[in-house]
Amino acid sequence: MSAHVFGGTVPVSRHLLEVSSNTFELIGLQHDQTTDPFTYLQPRTMLAWGVVLLAPLVFASTRNVSTCPGYTLHSLVETPSGLSAQLSLAGEACNAFGEDISALTVEVAYETTSRLRVNIFDTAKQQYTIPEAVIARPPVSGSPLASKSDLVFNYEPSPFAFWITRRSQPRAPPLFDTRISSLPAVPTGPVIPSDNSTLLTGFPLVFEKQYLQLTSALPLDTNIYGLGEAVASSGFRRNIGVNGGSMQTMWSRDAADPVDGNMYGTHPIYLEHRFDEATNESFSHGVHLMSAAGGDILLLTPQQSNVSLVQYRMIGGVLDFYFFAGPDPKSVVEQYGALVGLPTWQPAWGFGFHLCRWGYHDLNETRQQVLRMKEANIPLEVMWNDIDLYHAVRDFTTDPVTYPAEEVRAFIRELAANDQHYIPIVDAAIAKQVNATDIYDPYTKGAEQNVFMKNPDGSEYVGQVWPGYTVFPDWFAPNATQWWTEALRNWTESGVEVSGIWLDMNEPSSFCVGSCGTNANLTNTSPPFILPGEPGNPITDYPECYDSSSFGPSGNMTVNGTSTCRAETTTIKKRSEQALRKRGLGAGQETGVDLNAPPYAIHNGDGNLSFHTVATNATHFGKLVELDVHSLFGLMEEKATHLALLKIFPGKRPFLISRSTAASSGKWTGHWLGDNFSLWSYLRHSISGVLQFQLFQIPFVGADTCGFNGNTDEELCNRWMQMAAFTPFYRNHNIKGAISQEPYRWDSVANASRTAIAIRYSLLPYWYTLFANSSMHGTPPMRALFFEFPDEPELYNVSTQFMIGRDILVTPVLTPNVTTVDGIFPGRGRVIWRDWYTHDVVNAATNGTTTLPAPLGHINVHVRDGSAILLHAEPAYTIEKTRQGPFSLLVSQSADGRAFGSAYIDDGVSYPPGPSRTLKFIVTKGRLHIQGEGSFHVHQQLTDITVLAVAAKPSVVSLDGKEIEGWQYMASQKKLVVQKLQADLNGPVTLEWK
């Protein structure tokens, strides 16, 4: 078959039976392990919420894609930016999972020189596509860019297939290749032995109303990163070859950080990094599917195959792909940000230490944490409250007994007077009014304004969450944001004078299946399970690896000076793994679809798609259905909340932390990694989680420090408080009923926390600059090692270390009962790494590895040569006090006496950002020159400068041409320290040494 170029010359058996305690019975479906993997039991009933949902399906389903004919391309028309063509079924419809769509359109657009769009959609435009109102896309100029792009679109007309190549690498394997001739031979056995659905029978393009399939060949066991949100057992690099590979399910789900399962957010983007051994060069590219549909994305390597593959199996929507040329990892991330939107600007105070727990019974207990932290001299920037704050667990309320509104107001103002801040929780569901005497404005006004989701018959959809029976905002309703803004404004005026908002339970989560509150007793507000810490559900597990048989019931880290951790003899508990095993309107307007149990059952960890969330047949404004837009709920709530805060606090940067996220969420919010566990494995997982969200353009992210679920211990909390101080969002958060884990509880944790926070606050100008670059350019602030050293394959699978920007390397301790840690130092000897604390040079082995001392309370931090880092000279108790103090500068010269750095400075709170000043630090042999631009006035002075790798003691040190005194030279470290300067950073500054 001839090829064409445009723009270039060159057994998991998931039983899905769910029975409601109220009004309905869902379909029983399962994979048949003995025959074809896509053979299903037939539906037994089709009743839900007491409403007949759908007519019987018209088209017989084979569940076998091997007979699908694919499509033939015709009627091609070239456009200024690419091409448009029609696709028609190349043979008899297979109707594998419903009705084949016979007429498709493919549009190819070279949108920039580094971004290529390939959009395959139904010509009738009935399938759901994400509208610009939800995720705005950048305007496309229409200028001919095909000849300038490094990406080249190639295609075969029949059966239609396409592949993407690099113009700069004409002989390299394609970046994306859907040709059947490029893919493994079929049929295969189950590629993942435990999952019969990974039996591969064919790779045609399949485009049905409720099943879309597209497969691309990949280099054997290539390096894939992204596809989330996930706690991947393989780490930051996704498993594409071990035991056949892995899959990522796209369906937002309230699940406590399951390993290798779908969870809170959906991000169908991956970064692939390839290394050419012949040239010792690497190239990165990115692939993003712009879709809100549920689906499975498979990364597989069949046995005996010389290629791997990525396969998309989506249950709706369209195949709207964006390809990013890179060619390095940071560029891929930036190019993705240019598409979906760059991260929101963070207020400077957001980088401080945050404290929260579920279980602060009253305001006095909350206030006590602030006082105890101050007594222990552990900096506390932001105090949070969980749902304990609420009256009857209802959003936008305060409990009149335990959290009286005026006392809450007074407490928040006490915090503000000390330059501290307050953030409360806001859950996604709104309590339904119990009776006519029940006064709850957020519900009654929302009902009046028709802003809640509906059942198919038009009645209110009523689920169940913390306050009992609840309704759910419909963010597609035109007045939803206005209603939400009013509720938030009324709350702040009542006394909860927030500095930011914490959005939780927004997958959205519901504790029952279906509209269980319809015709129910609304006065029953008890959750359908026992809360943690309550009688019948105590949290009594010992800290991980604690040997109670040897050391009794204390749970202490040491007894009589002996470590109680017996990791070498005690089996580490697997608690988490055991417990957590305007185009078309979409399916709501299509016939022949099943809203409740789509014919292809994605690998949703909860089985049925309506379990623990709003049912898939719930309806939205504009006749949309939840099945199509489910994973957009968190994003749309974040946008509404961000815009609301801008109206309530005009001119100030909104501070948001949200649980469920999707593409473009970073424009509106930060994220925490969800309900993790007080286990060493989750300390490790948190590194990969933070790195993953850098790729997703949601860089302000962190884990619940010391763990959320279960009981932590002193050693784990010690190490975690240190490590989390080097991640963007830094919060300690704990579940109700578990032991207290505020950092002042243990002396060793308090000491470790003070040290780590002091470093963090010293580095604030560096962090702040990284995030300014992120908001302006999309550059990821926190980086995997290979992001900075892309041509070193030994770094591609490193998930135990990370870098902050280009200059700081962090090597945390991630295992118990050790006093050393192994680390790898990138650069293969061409980079000099110096210890943060001592400034000593690291002497690593030839392969870059070394063992570092790591006693309890010490975290290894190293500085890259060639760097110049602006610091706060006097880290204080709060961010504001720290920012008011003087600056210092650390220069770590390279072997040739050079270094470079920059710093972005503004007022730290204005939105949109106001005046700023950008400083550049340029070091050449014996000379440091500081130059700046921008109108912002920097009132802090630069008081001291440390220069490393000064070969010999200078005879003269001068500032702006004038010889100065007050400097020291440490010959053993080749270090020059200049102190007691009063340098004005609003003009040029030059330091010379001879």
Side-chain angles (χ1 to χ4, degrees):
M1 193 62 64
S2 61
H4 299 256
V5 178
F6 184 84
T9 55
V10 248
V12 174
S13 176
R14 302 186 331 281
H15 186 55
L16 303 187
L17 179 62
E18 293 290 346
V19 180
S20 167
S21 60
N22 291 297
T23 59
F24 69 95
E25 187 174 38
L26 290 182
I27 304 167
L29 299 174
Q30 66 179 14
H31 286 309
D32 186 333
Q33 293 180 281
T34 60
T35 58
D36 188 291
F38 299 117
T39 300
Y40 287 77
L41 301 178
Q42 293 301 308
R44 295 185 293 111
T45 58
M46 187 64 75
L47 299 175
W49 341 147
V51 179
V52 177
L53 298 177
L54 298 165
L57 298 183
V58 176
F59 292 86
S61 296
T62 66
R63 315 315 198 227
N64 185 350
V65 301
S66 65
T67 63
C68 295
Y71 289 80
T72 298
L73 181 143
H74 60 91
S75 304
L76 186 148
V77 176
E78 293 192 9
T79 68
S81 61
L83 64 84
S84 177
Q86 302 304 305
L87 300 176
S88 299
L89 278 173
E92 184 177 352
C94 66
N95 299 325
F97 294 94
E99 178 185 353
D100 280 10
I101 297 177
S102 60
L104 305 179
T105 299
V106 56
E107 292 181 348
V108 178
Y110 289 87
E111 295 192 340
T112 72
T113 57
S114 60
R115 184 175 75 238
L116 170 65
R117 183 183 187 185
V118 179
N119 186 13
I120 304 172
F121 58 91
D122 57 310
T123 304
K125 297 184 178 179
Q126 291 186 317
Q127 296 284 103
Y128 182 74
T129 58
I130 301 174
E132 293 268 349
V134 176
I135 301 179
R137 265 78 94 193
V140 179
S141 67
S143 301
L145 298 173
S147 62
K148 300 177 182 179
S149 175
D150 196 29
L151 299 175
V152 180
F153 175 81
N154 314 267
Y155 69 93
E156 290 178 346
S158 185
F160 171 70
F162 72 92
W163 63 104
I164 309 298
T165 55
R166 273 193 198 280
R167 190 184 311 277
S168 59
Q169 293 181 296
R171 286 180 290 277
L175 308 185
F176 198 84
D177 189 353
T178 69
R179 291 172 293 181
I180 293 175
S181 60
S182 301
L183 289 156
V186 291
T188 69
V191 180
I192 300 175
S194 61
D195 188 344
N196 280 349
S197 76
T198 62
L199 187 157
L200 304 175
T201 59
F203 302 116
L205 168 63
V206 181
F207 202 116
E208 300 174 345
K209 290 182 177 180
Q210 290 193 278
Y211 185 74
L212 286 67
Q213 179 177 301
L214 184 77
T215 313
S216 170
L218 297 172
L220 186 65
D221 198 25
T222 188
N223 302 296
I224 297 283
Y225 308 87
L227 296 179
E229 178 180 7
V231 178
S233 58
S234 60
F236 184 43
R237 181 182 182 271
R238 301 307 299 265
N239 172 25
I240 194 171
V242 177
N243 294 323
S246 60
M247 74 171 65
Q248 181 63 45
T249 296
M250 296 294 157
W251 188 257
S252 294
R253 170 180 171 232
D254 175 3
D257 287 21
V259 175
D260 293 329
N262 61 307
M263 47 194 294
Y264 312 111
T266 57
H267 296 275
I269 176 176
Y270 70 79
L271 179 152
E272 184 182 351
H273 188 70
R274 300 181 182 180
F275 180 72
D276 187 336
E277 294 183 356
T279 63
N280 287 321
E281 290 182 307
S282 65
F283 293 86
S284 291
H285 67 274
V287 180
H288 173 59
L289 175 61
M290 185 67 78
S291 173
D296 291 332
I297 301 178
L298 287 70
L299 298 170
L300 302 177
T301 305
Q303 289 187 2
Q304 313 305 318
S305 175
N306 61 356
V307 296
S308 298
L309 62 88
V310 56
Q311 183 174 84
Y312 295 82
R313 300 175 179 177
M314 313 305 293
I315 59 172
V318 298
L319 296 172
D320 189 3
F321 285 97
Y322 290 86
F323 300 92
F324 308 103
D328 59 84
K330 288 181 289 186
S331 295
V332 171
V333 178
E334 292 169 350
Q335 291 156 12
Y336 176 61
L339 172 68
V340 300
L342 301 177
T344 183
W345 285 80
Q346 296 297 333
W349 58 262
F351 293 93
F353 175 67
H354 303 242
L355 182 61
C356 183
R357 84 163 295 169
W358 179 17
Y360 290 143
H361 173 262
D362 55 27
L363 183 60
N364 183 60
E365 188 174 1
T366 302
R367 180 183 277 109
Q368 283 300 312
Q369 309 315 310
V370 179
L371 297 175
R372 294 291 301 275
M373 290 289 287
K374 182 64 175 177
E375 290 169 359
N377 195 31
I378 303 171
L380 173 62
E381 187 71 15
V382 189
M383 193 67 211
W384 296 49
N385 271 128
D386 210 312
I387 57 176
D388 314 280
L389 171 71
Y390 291 154
H391 176 51
V393 210
R394 292 180 168 189
D395 278 357
F396 311 120
T397 66
T398 57
D399 190 282
V401 175
T402 56
Y403 286 89
E406 286 305 316
E407 293 184 25
V408 169
R409 187 197 308 273
F411 169 65
I412 294 172
R413 290 182 177 179
E414 289 172 16
L415 291 173
N418 293 317
D419 298 319
Q420 294 172 300
H421 303 267
Y422 179 79
I423 293 177
I425 195 169
V426 173
D427 281 338
I430 301 297
K432 183 171 172 61
Q433 186 180 31
V434 172
N435 53 46
T437 63
D438 180 16
I439 300 174
Y440 182 48
D441 284 349
Y443 171 76
T444 54
K445 291 186 177 180
E448 290 170 1
Q449 297 175 40
N450 201 27
V451 300
F452 300 129
M453 292 189 209
K454 302 291 192 293
N455 287 313
D457 65 357
S459 62
E460 263 182 357
Y461 182 96
V462 186
Q464 186 179 27
V465 195
W466 300 118
Y469 293 109
T470 55
V471 293
F472 298 85
D474 176 9
W475 302 112
F476 290 93
N479 51 349
T481 298
Q482 180 180 347
W483 158 79
W484 190 249
T485 302
E486 181 182 0
L488 281 166
R489 186 190 302 276
N490 290 341
W491 200 32
T492 61
E493 291 176 352
S494 75
V496 187
E497 298 173 349
V498 304
S499 295
I501 292 293
W502 170 21
L503 299 176
D504 196 11
M505 308 289 285
N506 56 347
E507 291 69 37
S509 179
S510 181
F511 299 155
C512 66
V513 183
S515 189
C516 57
T518 300
N519 301 320
N521 176 11
L522 298 179
T523 63
N524 180 7
T525 60
S526 301
F529 49 82
I530 303 173
L531 296 178
E534 298 291 331
N537 188 20
I539 299 179
T540 58
D541 50 336
Y542 283 107
E544 186 176 13
C545 85
Y546 178 81
D547 186 353
S548 60
S549 62
S550 299
F551 297 103
S554 72
N556 292 337
M557 187 179 72
T558 60
V559 172
N560 297 326
T562 301
S563 172
T564 57
C565 179
R566 289 292 180 263
E568 70 279 5
T569 59
T570 303
T571 300
I572 301 298
K573 300 174 209 170
K574 300 293 184 183
R575 286 176 290 180
S576 59
E577 288 81 357
Q578 291 170 352
L580 304 170
R581 289 296 288 160
K582 232 161 221 242
R583 279 203 169 98
L585 296 176
Q589 298 299 291
E590 294 177 292
T591 59
V593 297
D594 188 338
L595 297 183
N596 293 308
Y600 174 76
I602 67 175
H603 287 65
N604 179 35
D606 286 324
N608 186 282
L609 298 182
S610 297
F611 184 80
H612 208 147
T613 189
V614 170
T616 49
N617 73 338
T619 62
H620 297 259
F621 178 84
K623 300 181 180 181
L624 298 173
V625 291
E626 179 70 7
L627 179 65
D628 283 324
V629 301
H630 168 76
S631 294
L632 296 176
F633 186 99
L635 163 64
M636 297 183 73
E637 184 191 37
E638 291 146 14
K639 180 178 179 180
T641 308
H642 184 106
L643 295 177
L645 290 179
L646 277 177
K647 285 196 171 183
I648 298 169
F649 305 109
K652 291 188 177 180
R653 298 174 193 177
F655 183 89
L656 293 180
I657 295 295
S658 176
R659 193 166 75 176
S660 183
T661 59
S664 84
S665 281
K667 288 178 62 175
W668 316 109
T669 187
H671 174 65
W672 98 102
L673 296 175
D675 297 345
N676 63 358
F677 290 80
S678 296
L679 299 170
W680 289 92
S681 60
Y682 278 83
L683 173 61
R684 295 191 296 275
H685 289 318
S686 69
I687 297 175
S688 298
V690 174
L691 291 174
Q692 193 177 75
F693 275 84
Q694 308 303 297
L695 194 160
F696 300 154
Q697 284 291 356
I698 310 174
F700 194 79
V701 62
D704 277 350
T705 303
C706 302
F708 176 73
N709 286 298
N711 287 318
T712 193
D713 66 72
E714 180 180 357
E715 184 182 12
L716 176 61
C717 200
N718 187 306
R719 298 297 192 186
W720 211 325
M721 282 294 296
Q722 295 172 60
M723 192 200 78
F726 295 90
T727 61
F729 175 49
Y730 185 21
R731 183 184 72 167
N732 184 315
H733 181 218
N734 195 9
I735 194 172
K736 185 175 183 177
I739 65 171
S740 299
Q741 62 184 43
E742 295 86 4
Y744 64 77
R745 300 282 178 177
W746 302 273
D747 287 344
S748 76
V749 178
N751 290 331
S753 300
R754 282 188 287 265
T755 300
I757 294 173
I759 300 172
R760 179 183 180 88
Y761 286 17
S762 294
L763 280 167
L764 182 62
Y766 183 71
W767 273 115
Y768 195 74
T769 302
L770 290 170
F771 271 81
N773 286 332
S774 178
S775 296
M776 291 187 289
H777 309 295
T779 312
M782 190 165 148
R783 302 167 192 173
L785 273 57
F786 82 91
F787 274 38
E788 285 298 319
F789 299 90
D791 298 333
E792 300 180 18
E794 63 270 22
L795 304 178
Y796 296 166
N797 200 29
V798 173
S799 296
T800 55
Q801 296 171 270
F802 57 89
M803 295 190 68
I804 305 171
R806 70 171 299 279
D807 297 326
I808 302 293
L809 173 67
V810 182
T811 308
V813 171
L814 304 173
T815 55
N817 204 18
V818 299
T819 57
T820 62
V821 62
D822 292 334
I824 186 168
F825 286 83
R828 295 179 172 177
R830 298 184 299 272
V831 173
I832 302 169
W833 295 96
R834 296 182 171 94
D835 186 277
W836 167 269
Y837 307 90
T838 67
H839 299 154
D840 291 339
V841 173
V842 173
N843 294 313
T846 54
N847 62 1
T849 60
T850 192
T851 299
L852 302 166
L856 190 67
H858 178 76
I859 183 168
N860 278 279
V861 182
H862 291 84
V863 182
R864 183 177 181 175
D865 71 348
S867 62
I869 304 174
L870 187 68
L871 305 170
H872 286 306
E874 299 173 0
Y877 193 77
T878 65
I879 296 295
E880 178 63 22
K881 289 292 191 296
T882 299
R883 281 170 56 89
Q884 294 302 319
F887 288 115
S888 64
L889 184 67
L890 175 64
V891 176
S892 180
Q893 295 185 108
S894 59
D896 62 357
R898 296 178 182 274
F900 177 81
S902 64
Y904 176 94
I905 304 173
D906 65 10
D907 66 8
V909 293
S910 295
Y911 190 85
S916 65
R917 185 165 181 80
T918 299
L919 304 175
K920 293 184 178 179
F921 311 101
I922 304 166
V923 181
T924 53
K925 295 182 179 180
R927 184 177 185 269
L928 160 67
H929 181 65
I930 305 173
Q931 61 189 44
E933 57 183 33
S935 61
F936 181 77
H937 180 77
V938 182
H939 71 268
Q940 306 95 321
Q941 294 181 328
L942 178 64
T943 58
D944 58 270
I945 300 172
T946 299
V947 184
L948 307 179
V950 177
K953 182 178 181 179
S955 58
V956 175
V957 177
S958 62
L959 180 68
D960 295 332
K962 297 180 181 179
E963 184 176 343
I964 60 173
E965 298 180 352
W967 56 270
Q968 295 176 298
Y969 181 76
M970 291 78 165
S972 60
Q973 295 173 306
K974 299 180 180 179
K975 177 166 64 175
L976 172 66
V977 179
V978 185
Q979 297 176 314
K980 298 181 179 179
L981 299 173
Q982 294 182 332
D984 184 355
L985 294 175
N986 297 292
V989 177
T990 301
L991 180 76
E992 294 180 286
W993 56 95
K994 301 178 183 178

